[in-house]
Each structure stands twice: as structure tokens, then as C-alpha cells.
Amino acid sequence: MAIFHLQYVTKIDSMDLNSLKQLAQYYIWTGQQIEAINIYQRVVMYDPNDIEIRKKLAQLCSWNSRQEEAIEQYENILKSDPNDIPTMKILAQNYFWTDRSIEGITLLEKIVSAQPDSVKYRRQLSQQYIWNGMQKKAIEQNEKILIYNPSDTTIIKQLAQLYTWNNAHIRAVPHYKTLLKQNPDDNEIRFLLGEAQYYAGKWYDAQKNLSKIESNNPKNKKMQ
């Protein structure tokens, strides 16, 4: 009954914003999200500065797999308030969902600049750097993560691998040592440590570590 009444009111006065907002809310409550999107689109057309409605519209678009429309709304919200960190976080994810990684990375960089102790978003930024061929930037982020969380095993291992991939073997060694200290019986980590020591010119140390696992796999030519 309320929906029917509000439909009638907004038909008579198509610019009655309060009634339009109420109608959209009733549509949401009754599971008619597409109808609510159409109403909110009318509201922001009449009142482009209504940030609260833009956020509701963007969220509804995102829920209904209309990411590009959601992105448009979130971008407009940021134009109004360039320091809106919560909106940056949501928009960044929408960029990644639509294969707009560079724009997403730019937002993540702004987020970690504003919240330098946010390990969660530094992790996301580091991973995006790796996926997009920016390994040196990933190294920088991982080093900063370890400042805030020095026992993060996943990041320690990833950083050691990044150093190895970038021929910085001498810098990979202490991280592999840390991992091996945590798991002394992990032959895979011991092998990676020995390999890093070998390429870093630490041949005696490499030989010592590789000899410890030789008995378990004597035919491994790479190890020999």
C-alpha cells in the first residue's frame, strides 16, 4: 500500500525528493533493488550533491553486478571529498573487479599513505604490485609490513622470494634463515637458503646447509 501511494505521489510531483527516497527504501525492503536503483538515479540527477544517496546507489549497483555504474558513483563521491578513505577502499576493490588494476593500485597507494600502519592494505598493495610486474615496489611494501609485523611468516617468505627473483640473494639469506629457525626440519626452506647463500658467494654456508639434506635426496642434481 505504501509503495502504491508513493508511486502516485512521485508521479504527480516527479521532483519530490523525500517521497522518491522513501519509495526507493520501500523497494529495497521488498527486494526490488532494480526499481530502487532507478529511483536513486533520479534523485542524484535532481540533487547531485546528495552523497548519502550516491553511496546507497553505488552499493546497490555493486550488489547487482553493475560495477561500472557503481564506480561512476564512487568516483563522484571522491570528487566531493578526496579524503574519503572508506570510499577509496570500496572503489579500489571495484577497480580490481573490473580489471582496472592501475587505478586500483593508485587508490591503495593513497590509502597506505593516509594510514601507514594498515598492514591489511599494504598486503593488498604488495600483491597487486607482484601481479602487475612491479616487484621492486612490492619489496618496498613488504619491508614496511615487517616493521609493523616482524613475525609475519607469509611476508618474510614472499620478501625472500622477491629478493631472489631480483638477484638480491644476499638480502634473501637472512629471511630464509628466519624461516628455517621457525621450522628447522623444513628441507625446502633449507634448500632455498643454501641456494641463496650459493649465489650470494657464501659457499661454505651453502655447502653446510645443502649437506644436511643431501642424505634425503642424494640424486638432486641442482643441489649437488
mmCIF file with all atom_site columns, all heavy atoms in Angstrom, residues 29-42:
data_model
loop_
_atom_site.group_PDB
_atom_site.id
_atom_site.type_symbol
_atom_site.label_atom_id
_atom_site.label_alt_id
_atom_site.label_comp_id
_atom_site.label_asym_id
_atom_site.label_entity_id
_atom_site.label_seq_id
_atom_site.pdbx_PDB_ins_code
_atom_site.Cartn_x
_atom_site.Cartn_y
_atom_site.Cartn_z
_atom_site.occupancy
_atom_site.B_iso_or_equiv
_atom_site.pdbx_formal_charge
_atom_site.auth_seq_id
_atom_site.auth_comp_id
_atom_site.auth_asym_id
_atom_site.auth_atom_id
_atom_site.pdbx_PDB_model_num
ATOM 1   N N   . TRP A 1 29 ? 13.333 -2.720 0.858   1.00 0.00 ? 29 TRP A N   1
ATOM 2   C CA  . TRP A 1 29 ? 12.755 -3.579 1.889   1.00 0.00 ? 29 TRP A CA  1
ATOM 3   C C   . TRP A 1 29 ? 11.968 -4.750 1.284   1.00 0.00 ? 29 TRP A C   1
ATOM 4   O O   . TRP A 1 29 ? 11.851 -5.802 1.903   1.00 0.00 ? 29 TRP A O   1
ATOM 5   C CB  . TRP A 1 29 ? 11.853 -2.769 2.806   1.00 0.00 ? 29 TRP A CB  1
ATOM 6   C CG  . TRP A 1 29 ? 12.609 -1.856 3.742   1.00 0.00 ? 29 TRP A CG  1
ATOM 7   C CD1 . TRP A 1 29 ? 13.903 -1.989 4.150   1.00 0.00 ? 29 TRP A CD1 1
ATOM 8   C CD2 . TRP A 1 29 ? 12.108 -0.674 4.375   1.00 0.00 ? 29 TRP A CD2 1
ATOM 9   N NE1 . TRP A 1 29 ? 14.251 -0.955 5.001   1.00 0.00 ? 29 TRP A NE1 1
ATOM 10  C CE2 . TRP A 1 29 ? 13.163 -0.135 5.161   1.00 0.00 ? 29 TRP A CE2 1
ATOM 11  C CE3 . TRP A 1 29 ? 10.887 -0.001 4.360   1.00 0.00 ? 29 TRP A CE3 1
ATOM 12  C CZ2 . TRP A 1 29 ? 13.018 1.021  5.922   1.00 0.00 ? 29 TRP A CZ2 1
ATOM 13  C CZ3 . TRP A 1 29 ? 10.739 1.150  5.117   1.00 0.00 ? 29 TRP A CZ3 1
ATOM 14  C CH2 . TRP A 1 29 ? 11.800 1.660  5.895   1.00 0.00 ? 29 TRP A CH2 1
ATOM 15  N N   . THR A 1 30 ? 11.432 -4.535 0.095   1.00 0.00 ? 30 THR A N   1
ATOM 16  C CA  . THR A 1 30 ? 10.628 -5.585 -0.543  1.00 0.00 ? 30 THR A CA  1
ATOM 17  C C   . THR A 1 30 ? 11.408 -6.342 -1.610  1.00 0.00 ? 30 THR A C   1
ATOM 18  O O   . THR A 1 30 ? 10.833 -7.076 -2.417  1.00 0.00 ? 30 THR A O   1
ATOM 19  C CB  . THR A 1 30 ? 9.349  -4.979 -1.159  1.00 0.00 ? 30 THR A CB  1
ATOM 20  O OG1 . THR A 1 30 ? 9.702  -3.923 -2.075  1.00 0.00 ? 30 THR A OG1 1
ATOM 21  C CG2 . THR A 1 30 ? 8.426  -4.427 -0.086  1.00 0.00 ? 30 THR A CG2 1
ATOM 22  N N   . GLY A 1 31 ? 12.741 -6.154 -1.610  1.00 0.00 ? 31 GLY A N   1
ATOM 23  C CA  . GLY A 1 31 ? 13.594 -6.925 -2.523  1.00 0.00 ? 31 GLY A CA  1
ATOM 24  C C   . GLY A 1 31 ? 13.559 -6.461 -3.964  1.00 0.00 ? 31 GLY A C   1
ATOM 25  O O   . GLY A 1 31 ? 13.992 -7.201 -4.858  1.00 0.00 ? 31 GLY A O   1
ATOM 26  N N   . GLN A 1 32 ? 13.104 -5.267 -4.218  1.00 0.00 ? 32 GLN A N   1
ATOM 27  C CA  . GLN A 1 32 ? 13.024 -4.729 -5.585  1.00 0.00 ? 32 GLN A CA  1
ATOM 28  C C   . GLN A 1 32 ? 14.187 -3.754 -5.817  1.00 0.00 ? 32 GLN A C   1
ATOM 29  O O   . GLN A 1 32 ? 13.998 -2.549 -5.955  1.00 0.00 ? 32 GLN A O   1
ATOM 30  C CB  . GLN A 1 32 ? 11.673 -4.035 -5.808  1.00 0.00 ? 32 GLN A CB  1
ATOM 31  C CG  . GLN A 1 32 ? 10.481 -4.943 -5.594  1.00 0.00 ? 32 GLN A CG  1
ATOM 32  C CD  . GLN A 1 32 ? 9.159  -4.212 -5.771  1.00 0.00 ? 32 GLN A CD  1
ATOM 33  O OE1 . GLN A 1 32 ? 8.760  -3.858 -6.885  1.00 0.00 ? 32 GLN A OE1 1
ATOM 34  N NE2 . GLN A 1 32 ? 8.476  -3.991 -4.648  1.00 0.00 ? 32 GLN A NE2 1
ATOM 35  N N   . GLN A 1 33 ? 15.393 -4.316 -5.842  1.00 0.00 ? 33 GLN A N   1
ATOM 36  C CA  . GLN A 1 33 ? 16.588 -3.477 -5.894  1.00 0.00 ? 33 GLN A CA  1
ATOM 37  C C   . GLN A 1 33 ? 16.742 -2.726 -7.214  1.00 0.00 ? 33 GLN A C   1
ATOM 38  O O   . GLN A 1 33 ? 17.226 -1.586 -7.232  1.00 0.00 ? 33 GLN A O   1
ATOM 39  C CB  . GLN A 1 33 ? 17.824 -4.331 -5.620  1.00 0.00 ? 33 GLN A CB  1
ATOM 40  C CG  . GLN A 1 33 ? 17.876 -4.868 -4.190  1.00 0.00 ? 33 GLN A CG  1
ATOM 41  C CD  . GLN A 1 33 ? 19.200 -5.532 -3.866  1.00 0.00 ? 33 GLN A CD  1
ATOM 42  O OE1 . GLN A 1 33 ? 20.111 -5.607 -4.680  1.00 0.00 ? 33 GLN A OE1 1
ATOM 43  N NE2 . GLN A 1 33 ? 19.319 -6.036 -2.644  1.00 0.00 ? 33 GLN A NE2 1
ATOM 44  N N   . ILE A 1 34 ? 16.361 -3.327 -8.311  1.00 0.00 ? 34 ILE A N   1
ATOM 45  C CA  . ILE A 1 34 ? 16.480 -2.641 -9.600  1.00 0.00 ? 34 ILE A CA  1
ATOM 46  C C   . ILE A 1 34 ? 15.595 -1.402 -9.624  1.00 0.00 ? 34 ILE A C   1
ATOM 47  O O   . ILE A 1 34 ? 16.007 -0.332 -10.109 1.00 0.00 ? 34 ILE A O   1
ATOM 48  C CB  . ILE A 1 34 ? 16.114 -3.589 -10.764 1.00 0.00 ? 34 ILE A CB  1
ATOM 49  C CG1 . ILE A 1 34 ? 17.027 -4.823 -10.760 1.00 0.00 ? 34 ILE A CG1 1
ATOM 50  C CG2 . ILE A 1 34 ? 16.213 -2.848 -12.109 1.00 0.00 ? 34 ILE A CG2 1
ATOM 51  C CD1 . ILE A 1 34 ? 18.499 -4.517 -10.833 1.00 0.00 ? 34 ILE A CD1 1
ATOM 52  N N   . GLU A 1 35 ? 14.383 -1.528 -9.091  1.00 0.00 ? 35 GLU A N   1
ATOM 53  C CA  . GLU A 1 35 ? 13.481 -0.374 -9.021  1.00 0.00 ? 35 GLU A CA  1
ATOM 54  C C   . GLU A 1 35 ? 14.078 0.713  -8.129  1.00 0.00 ? 35 GLU A C   1
ATOM 55  O O   . GLU A 1 35 ? 13.978 1.916  -8.428  1.00 0.00 ? 35 GLU A O   1
ATOM 56  C CB  . GLU A 1 35 ? 12.104 -0.806 -8.505  1.00 0.00 ? 35 GLU A CB  1
ATOM 57  C CG  . GLU A 1 35 ? 11.287 -1.625 -9.473  1.00 0.00 ? 35 GLU A CG  1
ATOM 58  C CD  . GLU A 1 35 ? 11.692 -3.089 -9.523  1.00 0.00 ? 35 GLU A CD  1
ATOM 59  O OE1 . GLU A 1 35 ? 12.648 -3.490 -8.796  1.00 0.00 ? 35 GLU A OE1 1
ATOM 60  O OE2 . GLU A 1 35 ? 11.064 -3.842 -10.284 1.00 0.00 ? 35 GLU A OE2 1
ATOM 61  N N   . ALA A 1 36 ? 14.720 0.277  -7.021  1.00 0.00 ? 36 ALA A N   1
ATOM 62  C CA  . ALA A 1 36 ? 15.356 1.239  -6.118  1.00 0.00 ? 36 ALA A CA  1
ATOM 63  C C   . ALA A 1 36 ? 16.498 1.964  -6.818  1.00 0.00 ? 36 ALA A C   1
ATOM 64  O O   . ALA A 1 36 ? 16.678 3.184  -6.653  1.00 0.00 ? 36 ALA A O   1
ATOM 65  C CB  . ALA A 1 36 ? 15.862 0.529  -4.867  1.00 0.00 ? 36 ALA A CB  1
ATOM 66  N N   . ILE A 1 37 ? 17.282 1.225  -7.616  1.00 0.00 ? 37 ILE A N   1
ATOM 67  C CA  . ILE A 1 37 ? 18.367 1.852  -8.383  1.00 0.00 ? 37 ILE A CA  1
ATOM 68  C C   . ILE A 1 37 ? 17.817 2.931  -9.296  1.00 0.00 ? 37 ILE A C   1
ATOM 69  O O   . ILE A 1 37 ? 18.361 4.050  -9.366  1.00 0.00 ? 37 ILE A O   1
ATOM 70  C CB  . ILE A 1 37 ? 19.123 0.779  -9.198  1.00 0.00 ? 37 ILE A CB  1
ATOM 71  C CG1 . ILE A 1 37 ? 19.980 -0.094 -8.281  1.00 0.00 ? 37 ILE A CG1 1
ATOM 72  C CG2 . ILE A 1 37 ? 20.009 1.441  -10.273 1.00 0.00 ? 37 ILE A CG2 1
ATOM 73  C CD1 . ILE A 1 37 ? 20.625 -1.283 -8.969  1.00 0.00 ? 37 ILE A CD1 1
ATOM 74  N N   . ASN A 1 38 ? 16.738 2.621  -9.996  1.00 0.00 ? 38 ASN A N   1
ATOM 75  C CA  . ASN A 1 38 ? 16.142 3.598  -10.926 1.00 0.00 ? 38 ASN A CA  1
ATOM 76  C C   . ASN A 1 38 ? 15.697 4.862  -10.188 1.00 0.00 ? 38 ASN A C   1
ATOM 77  O O   . ASN A 1 38 ? 15.883 5.977  -10.693 1.00 0.00 ? 38 ASN A O   1
ATOM 78  C CB  . ASN A 1 38 ? 14.953 2.969  -11.651 1.00 0.00 ? 38 ASN A CB  1
ATOM 79  C CG  . ASN A 1 38 ? 15.373 1.845  -12.579 1.00 0.00 ? 38 ASN A CG  1
ATOM 80  O OD1 . ASN A 1 38 ? 16.507 1.807  -13.049 1.00 0.00 ? 38 ASN A OD1 1
ATOM 81  N ND2 . ASN A 1 38 ? 14.469 0.922  -12.849 1.00 0.00 ? 38 ASN A ND2 1
ATOM 82  N N   . ILE A 1 39 ? 15.140 4.688  -9.000  1.00 0.00 ? 39 ILE A N   1
ATOM 83  C CA  . ILE A 1 39 ? 14.689 5.850  -8.220  1.00 0.00 ? 39 ILE A CA  1
ATOM 84  C C   . ILE A 1 39 ? 15.879 6.671  -7.735  1.00 0.00 ? 39 ILE A C   1
ATOM 85  O O   . ILE A 1 39 ? 15.904 7.902  -7.850  1.00 0.00 ? 39 ILE A O   1
ATOM 86  C CB  . ILE A 1 39 ? 13.830 5.407  -7.022  1.00 0.00 ? 39 ILE A CB  1
ATOM 87  C CG1 . ILE A 1 39 ? 12.546 4.736  -7.510  1.00 0.00 ? 39 ILE A CG1 1
ATOM 88  C CG2 . ILE A 1 39 ? 13.504 6.598  -6.133  1.00 0.00 ? 39 ILE A CG2 1
ATOM 89  C CD1 . ILE A 1 39 ? 11.617 5.632  -8.303  1.00 0.00 ? 39 ILE A CD1 1
ATOM 90  N N   . TYR A 1 40 ? 16.892 5.989  -7.202  1.00 0.00 ? 40 TYR A N   1
ATOM 91  C CA  . TYR A 1 40 ? 18.074 6.715  -6.711  1.00 0.00 ? 40 TYR A CA  1
ATOM 92  C C   . TYR A 1 40 ? 18.779 7.457  -7.851  1.00 0.00 ? 40 TYR A C   1
ATOM 93  O O   . TYR A 1 40 ? 19.362 8.529  -7.638  1.00 0.00 ? 40 TYR A O   1
ATOM 94  C CB  . TYR A 1 40 ? 19.039 5.756  -6.020  1.00 0.00 ? 40 TYR A CB  1
ATOM 95  C CG  . TYR A 1 40 ? 18.637 5.391  -4.602  1.00 0.00 ? 40 TYR A CG  1
ATOM 96  C CD1 . TYR A 1 40 ? 18.895 4.116  -4.090  1.00 0.00 ? 40 TYR A CD1 1
ATOM 97  C CD2 . TYR A 1 40 ? 18.012 6.311  -3.767  1.00 0.00 ? 40 TYR A CD2 1
ATOM 98  C CE1 . TYR A 1 40 ? 18.548 3.782  -2.787  1.00 0.00 ? 40 TYR A CE1 1
ATOM 99  C CE2 . TYR A 1 40 ? 17.655 5.979  -2.472  1.00 0.00 ? 40 TYR A CE2 1
ATOM 100 C CZ  . TYR A 1 40 ? 17.917 4.708  -1.988  1.00 0.00 ? 40 TYR A CZ  1
ATOM 101 O OH  . TYR A 1 40 ? 17.565 4.382  -0.696  1.00 0.00 ? 40 TYR A OH  1
ATOM 102 N N   . GLN A 1 41 ? 18.765 6.894  -9.029  1.00 0.00 ? 41 GLN A N   1
ATOM 103 C CA  . GLN A 1 41 ? 19.352 7.586  -10.171 1.00 0.00 ? 41 GLN A CA  1
ATOM 104 C C   . GLN A 1 41 ? 18.625 8.896  -10.449 1.00 0.00 ? 41 GLN A C   1
ATOM 105 O O   . GLN A 1 41 ? 19.252 9.898  -10.821 1.00 0.00 ? 41 GLN A O   1
ATOM 106 C CB  . GLN A 1 41 ? 19.329 6.683  -11.408 1.00 0.00 ? 41 GLN A CB  1
ATOM 107 C CG  . GLN A 1 41 ? 20.350 5.555  -11.361 1.00 0.00 ? 41 GLN A CG  1
ATOM 108 C CD  . GLN A 1 41 ? 20.248 4.597  -12.516 1.00 0.00 ? 41 GLN A CD  1
ATOM 109 O OE1 . GLN A 1 41 ? 19.166 4.418  -13.093 1.00 0.00 ? 41 GLN A OE1 1
ATOM 110 N NE2 . GLN A 1 41 ? 21.349 3.947  -12.873 1.00 0.00 ? 41 GLN A NE2 1
ATOM 111 N N   . ARG A 1 42 ? 17.321 8.886  -10.274 1.00 0.00 ? 42 ARG A N   1
ATOM 112 C CA  . ARG A 1 42 ? 16.542 10.125 -10.433 1.00 0.00 ? 42 ARG A CA  1
ATOM 113 C C   . ARG A 1 42 ? 16.902 11.131 -9.347  1.00 0.00 ? 42 ARG A C   1
ATOM 114 O O   . ARG A 1 42 ? 17.055 12.338 -9.614  1.00 0.00 ? 42 ARG A O   1
ATOM 115 C CB  . ARG A 1 42 ? 15.044 9.812  -10.385 1.00 0.00 ? 42 ARG A CB  1
ATOM 116 C CG  . ARG A 1 42 ? 14.522 9.134  -11.640 1.00 0.00 ? 42 ARG A CG  1
ATOM 117 C CD  . ARG A 1 42 ? 13.102 8.650  -11.455 1.00 0.00 ? 42 ARG A CD  1
ATOM 118 N NE  . ARG A 1 42 ? 12.171 9.747  -11.142 1.00 0.00 ? 42 ARG A NE  1
ATOM 119 C CZ  . ARG A 1 42 ? 10.879 9.577  -10.860 1.00 0.00 ? 42 ARG A CZ  1
ATOM 120 N NH1 . ARG A 1 42 ? 10.372 8.337  -10.835 1.00 0.00 ? 42 ARG A NH1 1
ATOM 121 N NH2 . ARG A 1 42 ? 10.103 10.615 -10.598 1.00 0.00 ? 42 ARG A NH2 1
#
